[in-house]
Amino acid sequence: MRVRVEQTALPGIGVRHDLMTESGRRLGVVSHRNGRRDLVLYDPDDPDACQADIPLTDDEAEALADILGASLLLGQLSGLREQAAGLLTEQVAITAGSSYVGRKLGDTKARTRTGASIVAVLRQGEVIVSPDPSFRFVAGDVVVVVGTRQGLDGVTAILADGDPDG
């Protein structure tokens, strides 16, 4: 459901933003010209009558916004988790014995061969995000891989076994 927010200028006072909840309750925020904010809850029987007016300090307004934003973000992440069911992340070390030491990421053909993606490389405390195919591995690199269990196992085998030819 798309929520419609109505903005009303309040001459000499500031501006009021109102919205109607799905349950039929109307609430709003009055932003005064002097910086003060009031959270307003309207009477369900008389939409023009104020049932509650709660003044908010800057810190309280920020905390309320953080709470509402955090719960929305958690809901979105939960939905993303459901969409990404079966998608895993794993870190794979490039050992000194790997034939990929000194070689390019593109030489692994990891995504083509396994369906998994190398999304980052951790090197000496730095994160290299989305390395391109010309990126060269060094011993001690830790490769961050995203994919299915089968894909992650495939990339691990490629990098550990040093199978450059596939």
Side-chain angles (χ1 to χ4, degrees):
M1 174 181 133
R2 189 84 179 137
V3 176
R4 192 173 103 225
V5 176
E6 295 178 11
Q7 179 176 324
T8 305
L10 303 173
I13 298 171
V15 66
R16 183 182 75 214
H17 293 90
D18 294 330
L19 66 91
M20 183 71 72
T21 68
E22 193 171 312
S23 66
R25 294 301 305 264
R26 189 167 149 229
L27 60 99
V29 174
V30 176
S31 300
H32 297 261
R33 289 175 33 189
N34 65 6
R36 188 177 119 202
R37 284 178 209 83
D38 294 316
L39 181 62
V40 181
L41 181 62
Y42 296 95
D43 188 321
D45 298 323
D46 182 358
D48 293 324
C50 179
Q51 187 176 26
D53 180 345
I54 305 165
L56 299 173
T57 66
D58 288 345
D59 289 341
E60 291 164 342
E62 186 176 339
L64 182 58
D66 287 347
I67 290 167
L68 293 172
S71 65
L72 180 62
L73 180 60
L74 289 174
Q76 290 170 340
L77 288 175
S78 176
L80 181 59
R81 187 179 314 128
E82 289 171 14
Q83 291 174 9
L87 195 60
L88 305 169
T89 302
E90 196 161 276
Q91 295 182 6
V92 181
I94 301 290
T95 63
S98 173
S99 66
Y100 284 104
V101 171
R103 296 194 61 168
K104 296 177 184 176
L105 180 148
D107 293 343
T108 67
K109 299 180 184 161
R111 187 175 17 225
T112 302
R113 293 167 63 188
T114 69
S117 296
I118 295 173
V119 297
V121 176
L122 311 176
R123 177 180 286 169
Q124 297 177 342
E126 289 187 43
V127 179
I128 300 150
V129 179
S130 299
D132 64 34
S134 65
F135 175 85
R136 290 190 182 272
F137 294 112
V138 299
D141 281 350
V142 177
V143 178
V144 180
V145 185
V146 175
T148 63
R149 175 80 268 149
Q150 183 179 356
L152 297 179
D153 291 346
V155 172
T156 299
I158 291 167
L159 296 175
D161 297 340
D163 179 12
D165 299 321

